[in-house]
Amino acid sequence: MNIHEYQAKILFNQFSVPNPRGMVAATPEEAAAAASELGGEQLVVKSQVHAGGRGKGTFKNGFQGGVHLVPPGEVAQVASSMLGETLVTKQTGEAGKVVRKVMVAEAVDIVHEYYLAILMDRATCSPVIVASTEGGMDIEEVAESQPEKILREHIHPLMGLQSYEVRKLTAGLGFAKDEARQFGKLLANLYRLFLECDCSMVEINPLVRTTDGRVLALDAKFNFDDNALYRHPDIEEFRDDEEEDPREVEASKYSLNYIGLDGNIACLVNGAGLAMATMDIIKHYGGEPANFLDVGGGASREQVAAAFKIILSDEAVKAILVNIFGGIMDCDVIAHGVVAACREVGLPIPLVVRLEGNNVAAGKSTLAASGLNIITAEDLADAAEKAVAALSE
């Protein structure tokens, strides 16, 4: 789950991570009121969407840039040009994203920009802190062109962040005296936030040093472990369904793991590994998978029916491949779910089903007795080949 920048500020304030003051606004009038309360000679107006590259983005109404530095008297006008309009950035694609809120924040005079992130390293199964003196730009570009500028510090998951690790990073970034103390405190609080909120990533880009000697988190990006959100109802309330794929939102209501892709052969599979293999073999036979959809090891008939509705809501889908290996999963439960879904929403496109494992004979009998035009397959290769072939029929 991702959150907006203004929501990240709320967490920063809860965990004493220094950042510039800011307020969220949903209308130009609210933006003007925020500007009046914040004061100052210059303020920053930032569009709030789940995408990077906002500053260099373009609105479909012709307005340039999703981040603007303006005097307080111009805040309402800039907010009016953003709110309700579609912002296109390098991360949104051509469709762009509608800006429903803006954040008005105090401007700071910057001496230097840094990069700071904490994320989970899957290779070591532990948190890693990534930092660089080259902030304010894509860290991927820095890693490619100046890899020596990237600092990495792996943190022992049981021992936690140690003082010597903080000192190494502080020295590596060039902080000294009071600014070094500020950075050390900021990093300790950020690590505590990362752990206590079950984050999978916290990224500050840029972290800045200001002319008046402050070290501040200027912009932030958060990812959370979806499997731990039940422990954080306050964070779950931050979820903005408008910013997410509606199919993924609907899938989450039924505890289905769904990710939309750009192909035209939909997949319904039990188990993430089998789902990946299914997508691979579709590609092998010349097809393009339309989604990743894992119904889990013990899906109910209702979940299968919901999965079918989500798949069929994608107009790009021209065929469906169901691939089930029943261990815990009962193949007959899947078969009844498939039949129920087809009868409820119709079956306007070819459906290929491969069942194997627990109670497979009953599952195949259920499909055969349904009277529906279902293409059965003996193995995964056969299923993928038939799904690809069905596209041209």
Side-chain angles (χ1 to χ4, degrees), residues 129 151 153 155 161-176 180-181 183-185 187-188:
I129 298 174
L151 307 175
E153 193 67 36
I155 309 302
L161 182 62
Q162 300 295 301
S163 297
Y164 77 90
E165 294 168 327
V166 175
R167 290 194 294 269
K168 281 174 63 178
L169 290 165
T170 302
L173 293 175
F175 289 112
R181 287 188 288 272
F183 174 73
K185 185 176 180 180
L187 182 57

Side-chain angles (χ1 to χ4, degrees), residues 1-5 7-8 11 49-51 91 97 200-201 220-226 229 235-241 243-245 248:
M1 189 188 92
N2 301 321
I3 62 175
H4 288 291
E5 183 183 358
Q7 296 166 326
L11 293 178
V49 293
H50 289 176
Q91 291 189 6
K97 289 197 172 186
S200 54
M201 183 192 76
K221 184 184 295 183
F222 278 73
N223 287 338
F224 298 91
D225 182 352
D226 289 346
L229 283 177
I235 293 176
E236 195 161 17
E237 288 181 3
F238 287 160
R239 172 165 256 149
D240 185 351
D241 290 345
E243 288 290 318
E244 299 183 27
D245 186 326
E248 294 180 18

Side-chain angles (χ1 to χ4, degrees), residues 205-217:
N205 189 21
L207 175 78
V208 300
R209 180 162 53 91
T210 67
T211 54
D212 57 359
R214 292 184 293 168
V215 178
L216 302 174

Side-chain angles (χ1 to χ4, degrees), residues 24-99:
V24 67
T27 65
E29 293 74 22
E30 290 180 5
S36 177
E37 184 170 337
L38 291 169
E41 295 183 1
Q42 296 280 305
L43 294 170
V44 183
V45 183
K46 295 184 173 184
S47 54
Q48 298 296 285
V49 293
H50 289 176
R54 293 171 295 170
K56 296 179 180 179
T58 302
F59 286 88
K60 289 190 174 181
N61 64 358
F63 190 64
Q64 296 293 316
V67 178
H68 283 261
L69 179 66
V70 295
E74 297 179 17
V75 165
Q77 179 183 348
V78 171
S80 178
S81 299
M82 293 181 179
L83 290 167
E85 301 295 338
T86 302
L87 176 64
V88 179
T89 78
K90 62 183 180 180
Q91 291 189 6
T92 65
E94 294 182 3
K97 289 197 172 186
V98 176
V99 176

